Amino acid sequence: NTSKEREREREMRETTARRAAGLLWRTTTTAAWGSKVRGGTGGGGTNRSSSSITAPSSPLGTTSAKNGIIFHRRFYYNSLRRATTIGGEGGLTTTTRSRRHRFHHPSSQSSFFMVKTLTSSPSKPTEQQNKPTPMRELRDEFLNANSVAYLEEMEKRFKEEGGEIGMDKSWSTLLQSLDKGMTGKELSSMWEDAKNGNAPVARERRATPSSSTAPSEVTSDLIQESMRLLLLVRAYQTAGHEMATLDPLGMGKKSVNVSLDPELYGFTEKDLDREFFLGTWRMKGFLAEDQPYWTLRDILSRLRETYCGNIGYEYMHIMDREKCNWLREQIETPTQKGYKPERKKILFERLARAELFETFLSNKYTAAKRFGLEGCETLIPGFEEAVDRAADLGVKNINIGMPHRGRLNVLANVIRKPLQTIFNEFKGGPKPTGELGLSGSQYTGSGDVKYHLGTSVVTRRGVNQDKKVQLSLLANPSHLEAVDTVVIGKCAARQFYTKDYEKETVIPVLLHGDGAFSGQGIVYETLDMSQLPEYHVGGTLHIVVNNQVAFTTDPKHSRSSMYCTDVAKCIEAPVFHVNGDDVEAVAWVMQLALEWRQKFKADAVVDIVCYRKFGHNEIDEPMFTQPLMYKVIKKHVSAHQQYAEKLVKEGVLTADEVKAKHTEILKELDTEFEMSKNYVPKFRDWVSSHWQGFKSPDQFASIRNTGVDPQVLREVGAKITEIPETFTPHKIVKRVYDARRKMFETGENVDWATAEMLAFGTLLNEGNHVRLSGQDVERGTFSHRHAVIKDQSTGERFVPLRNLYRDKIAEKGLKYFTVCNSSLSEFGVLGFELGYSLDNPNSLVIWEAQFGDFANSAQVIIDQFISSGEAKWLRQTGLTLLLPHGYDGQGPEHSSARLERFLQMSDEDPRVVPDMSQTKRLAIQGTNWQICNVTTPANYFHLLRRQIHRDYRKPLIVMSPKNLLRHPKCLSPLSEFDDVDSLTDAQGTRFKRLIMDKTAKVRGLTNIPVEDHVQRLVFCSGKVYYELDAEREALKAEDTIKICRIEQLAPFPWDLVERELKRYPNAEVVWCQEEPLNMGAYTHVDQRIRTLFKHLGKEGELKYAGRNQAASPSTGYGSVHAEEQIKLIKDALVL
């Protein structure tokens, strides 16, 4: 052929192939199958109810000149029925496994065609299957087509009858136009015009000199071939990961999805060296327009290298075309990616350090549990590559959460915690207090095992190791995934404080086990929060260390999905499965996932398929439960040894260089081990610059006043009740804000919600960040807060508390005050807020439960982190929990926040009266947390402010009220909020741990006036006080019965309770509560009152007035509740 003829042939191929592409993407997705095949599946699920599924197949093969132009419909219908369905971002996804044709691997890796060894016979119809409708009974028009079977019937009748009999004219015109060579572009235009009613249903193509002489059979074949190849590429993109060589042990027997067989698409070995056109509009990768021509051999080779090698890519479930194209551009390269020799040497050294570290520990501590990384050592060089890439992309802080497997290795080789520190921790106990160098503190806490501990280290990273990055690993209990949202919350706080509004410089990384990732619900809660406005941190890099066994449970017994990572598809996260023995593949996907996170600010998942060399721990026997797997593992060569041999073979390293590097690493480990013998801790690694100066539990901290200048109170009150004139709030909300404004103007009757807003407002005014989250917190579960109000005309949001800094938003940030409704989660959201509180002490962070009863859904966070975090890990937090609590007839699930559980976990000793003198008392800061049940708005105000105005941080648990929110007597004058002290004030200038009887006048601990005529002293806590007081008034017994409110139950107000016992020496002492005998605070208070009785030499015992013991917190019957309430009040007051 002359060059001119070759060029003409090439142009013809491109034109006809583009015509096919246009027909596929416009006709098939828009018209030909319609809504039934698409089925509204969104992500591309198979629609089993479509009649196309049950219609008989049409034979594949060549078509005549007359009907060749419409081949693509028949072919595509058949392949759709066999293996694929329309979905994803305009692409194809494979059907579920139950619908696949099964094929074994090809016998040779060099073979391009799969040998079919299993034949599928047509399945017999069942009662559950849809019966096909006879073709002649179907009626449809082109514009409304929704049945593949109907389309095929139209084609058949057009061939046999020429479209003259029994066929809608729209179909006749369309098929005639296609036979005459109508292009995809013209068909698309025709479809849009017809749909919009602007043109006839079909238009015939005008003949041109160049096209009139083109052989129609050649055009038809070219279209058919290009379309079939396009489908084959799509099949690899969607299902290629199923053929990837992911298991380093090679134990899995894989069956091939039929859609990956080239024979399905009509190709034979004769076609291997033919050139095909694959260019597709606005597509990247193998289908890109800028490289449209491929031979079948080349495209098959690259498809298998890319999608069926040691990496399995899952991304076709992502709906966004830009994201898919970006991934295709990274993945589908003309040639395989690879590392340069110098980078391979770095990967080798990091892999060697990972393995030799584990070997060294195994030799030195033969009987110790360490949950080593053997079998997944490639995690270390892969993780380090991700960190280096992150540094080069501008990341300055990486917060990490992970379970115990491999934790020591990550600490040593990724975070680079000093090795002597790690070796020292193997000694199994704290240093004697005399040897500690903790800035004056001798507090060591109760400690935790070494593989739960965290640290924070600043190192130089990046490809050239020239950029500073802080890596922080959070401490985590054995509750594997519990730390997930804690890490995310800490990241969110760091992003806020560093003004990283673009989420570029602070990123979270979470490591998971395969069983935990698929099995623990907190993983889904974490993923679900990832794109919520007030919880979004710009995406998380998830790394799954996939042992292919969960403790001792095989995957088929631990999950129902194909992959342990399938849950991540719910947020359209890309998933990169990788063979854990291929260090270069692991490093590549780790970088790819990191780059995805930085570009799209979304989660990505790396699934490192590996194995666990030993059992669940080093002294476990895995042959009990996985004998076949561990027979293979015993013979398996480590990834480090494999890579060393590979580099020697490639000439990158010599055997002597490998040996020298091993010697160097082992010498370094020995040196650090010897130094660890005399290692002394120099500081607490949890103390960042923000935490400097805060006291430990054994260091005395003075008490500060929390009252505010009266003038400031009024100024703040005016600002936080101001609503713009152009804003249209709901009429009830407007009345609420008008009433609040009046409270500040008159200084009287401040209610609970207003006191809370005033606490927030004054803290903001003093330069403290405030964050409140939980279910329905913007309005408040009980419609009392209205911190966010909505314009009734436009729906616009307005946050009155932001009036305090509206002119300083550029400096402070819009979210300086944040109040946000959360997802319907307790575990995940509470973990997030805990993490948020850990970053900076100068913030009030609050989580409010919808009802206190629901807090037990977050019990893991409460037990493992909040109550014990400081004792185990020396981590302080000022997190506040608001748990609505109180008995008002709402039944067992809306009455109790389980106060008794929190009190039981208090670490205060009830047997000893502590020294409560002003200069020595450590009881408050020495206890693990504070538990309060407050009864006045003013005391609530001071309680919240106390969280910030002190030299240490403690978690605060508040049994917050429900009916006190609108109780006519639960009000405080504004004078009780100010900083003007008066001995006659009920409140004073700070939080009152105990509020004495309303008739008492002297608050001092000395020279207490004795009232020996009082016959009964009732101690109580919470809303029951108001009922007791009302009944006492009715009995006219204020002179003989006194009621004291214990506002802070833990740490117990020993000194104040002792004062009241001295004030009323002859009184019978009663504890009154609404909860049953075996719940509430009775047991907690009884133990301490007994100790005080003994201390004072007082005889008698604490009497109980409350509900009888019960399994359920409360009755579900309103009448029974009322009877019980009357009885407990009577028991408390009637002498």
Side-chain angles (χ1 to χ4, degrees), residues 716-911:
V716 170
K719 286 185 178 180
I720 65 178
T721 56
E722 181 182 337
I723 301 174
E725 293 181 2
T726 56
F727 194 88
T728 310
H730 191 280
K731 60 183 180 181
I732 295 178
V733 174
K734 186 177 186 304
R735 286 203 300 268
V736 168
Y737 272 83
D738 289 343
R740 289 176 181 175
R741 192 177 306 109
K742 185 178 179 180
M743 294 174 195
F744 292 114
E745 291 170 354
T746 64
E748 299 295 334
N749 299 326
V750 178
D751 63 15
W752 197 276
T754 307
E756 181 183 77
M757 287 189 69
L758 194 55
F760 294 164
T762 53
L763 288 172
L764 290 167
N765 198 53
E766 294 163 355
N768 299 289
H769 174 39
V770 177
R771 177 183 170 91
L772 166 64
S773 90
Q775 297 156 24
D776 311 303
V777 297
E778 294 178 2
R779 186 203 71 173
T781 300
F782 311 102
S783 295
H784 67 288
R785 182 174 289 121
H786 298 295
V788 176
I789 57 180
K790 301 284 184 70
D791 190 297
Q792 298 299 295
S793 301
T794 65
E796 178 187 356
R797 293 162 56 93
F798 182 72
V799 183
L801 274 158
R802 289 178 180 167
N803 290 339
L804 291 167
Y805 62 92
R806 206 164 293 280
D807 57 342
K808 298 180 181 178
I809 283 180
E811 172 191 345
K812 294 181 177 293
L814 179 65
K815 298 179 180 179
Y816 198 63
F817 171 69
T818 295
V819 55
C820 56
N821 292 338
S822 73
S823 62
L824 202 66
S825 156
E826 287 82 29
F827 190 169
V829 175
L830 180 56
F832 183 98
E833 302 308 332
L834 170 65
Y836 201 100
S837 72
L838 292 173
D839 189 71
N840 192 309
N842 301 311
S843 60
L844 177 64
V845 182
I846 302 174
W847 176 74
E848 181 178 66
Q850 190 180 65
F851 282 85
D853 313 62
F854 305 153
N856 55 15
S857 293
Q859 203 68 44
V860 172
I861 297 296
I862 294 168
D863 292 356
Q864 301 341 110
F865 290 88
I866 299 175
S867 73
S868 57
E870 184 175 18
K872 291 191 295 187
W873 309 316
L874 305 181
R875 294 295 196 277
Q876 288 192 6
T877 172
L879 178 65
T880 297
L881 277 63
L882 302 181
L883 309 179
H885 173 90
Y887 283 61
D888 43 23
Q890 294 193 55
E893 275 71 57
H894 295 83
S895 298
S896 175
R898 298 290 187 171
L899 170 63
E900 62 280 355
R901 292 180 179 173
F902 293 94
L903 293 172
Q904 189 179 35
M905 288 188 284
S906 175
D907 64 355
E908 179 186 61
D909 189 347
R911 301 166 298 178

Side-chain angles (χ1 to χ4, degrees), residues 17 226 229-230 233 276-280 286-288 291-294 299:
S226 290
L229 190 53
L230 178 65
V233 172
F276 295 89
F277 180 86
L278 280 177
T280 305
F286 295 147
L287 304 180
Q291 188 185 349
Y293 294 99
W294 291 81
I299 190 64

Side-chain angles (χ1 to χ4, degrees), residues 147-163:
S147 168
V148 173
Y150 183 80
L151 295 179
E152 292 186 336
E153 175 68 3
M154 291 297 99
E155 177 187 341
K156 179 180 178 183
R157 287 160 61 186
F158 178 79
K159 286 196 303 179
E160 295 173 352
E161 303 165 359

Side-chain angles (χ1 to χ4, degrees), residues 435-676:
E435 298 180 26
L436 293 173
L438 299 178
S439 304
S441 171
Q442 302 298 305
Y443 181 74
T444 62
S446 58
D448 201 351
V449 291
K450 52 196 166 293
Y451 40 80
H452 288 172
L453 303 176
T455 194
S456 184
V457 176
V458 176
T459 61
R460 291 193 173 274
R461 309 307 283 263
V463 173
N464 299 318
Q465 304 289 289
D466 58 349
K467 298 175 180 67
K468 283 187 177 181
V469 178
Q470 181 178 16
L471 291 98
S472 301
L473 176 64
L474 273 68
N476 189 30
S478 287
H479 297 63
L480 302 174
E481 301 291 338
V483 79
D484 290 358
T485 55
V486 182
V487 171
I488 307 300
K490 190 171 187 294
C491 261
R494 182 60 59 89
Q495 289 171 349
F496 171 80
Y497 287 112
T498 59
K499 294 182 169 57
D500 181 19
Y501 302 132
E502 300 302 319
K503 323 294 186 188
E504 294 278 359
T505 64
V506 181
I507 67 171
V509 177
L510 293 177
L511 281 78
H512 314 267
D514 50 322
F517 198 76
S518 63
Q520 296 202 350
I522 185 61
V523 174
Y524 175 77
E525 292 187 33
T526 306
L527 295 169
D528 182 54
M529 292 166 61
S530 64
Q531 297 299 318
L532 302 183
E534 303 299 343
Y535 303 89
H536 176 59
V537 292
T540 300
L541 174 56
H542 299 271
I543 305 168
V544 180
V545 176
N546 188 344
N547 302 319
Q548 306 184 76
V549 59
F551 202 155
T552 63
T553 306
D554 292 325
K556 66 181 179 181
H557 295 297
S558 66
R559 65 174 184 264
S560 299
S561 57
M562 177 183 290
Y563 297 113
C564 64
T565 55
D566 283 346
V567 64
K569 295 179 187 177
C570 70
I571 59 167
E572 297 186 17
V575 181
F576 310 126
H577 309 280
V578 60
N579 187 315
D581 268 4
D582 189 340
V583 62
E584 293 182 17
V586 172
W588 152 245
V589 296
M590 291 284 278
Q591 290 183 71
L592 178 64
L594 190 281
E595 290 173 3
W596 164 277
R597 187 270 169 202
Q598 289 299 91
K599 182 172 180 62
F600 296 108
K601 303 301 181 289
D603 292 41
V605 180
V606 174
D607 175 25
I608 305 177
V609 183
C610 54
Y611 58 93
R612 196 177 61 199
K613 186 175 181 181
F614 302 106
H616 178 62
N617 57 65
E618 288 70 24
I619 58 177
D620 194 25
E621 176 49 77
M623 292 291 285
F624 291 157
T625 52
Q626 279 79 33
L628 300 181
M629 173 183 280
Y630 277 87
K631 286 178 182 177
V632 175
I633 289 174
K634 286 179 180 179
K635 300 176 183 178
H636 191 71
V637 178
S638 72
H640 166 229
Q641 186 176 339
Q642 290 181 48
Y643 196 53
E645 293 171 357
K646 178 176 181 288
L647 295 187
V648 170
K649 187 176 181 180
E650 291 177 356
V652 175
L653 291 172
T654 65
D656 289 341
E657 288 174 325
V658 170
K659 187 176 181 180
K661 179 58 66 177
H662 290 170
T663 302
E664 175 190 332
I665 294 170
L666 289 172
K667 183 178 179 181
E668 180 182 327
L669 290 167
D670 274 322
T671 301
E672 292 288 329
F673 178 77
E674 291 302 319
M675 293 174 63
S676 73

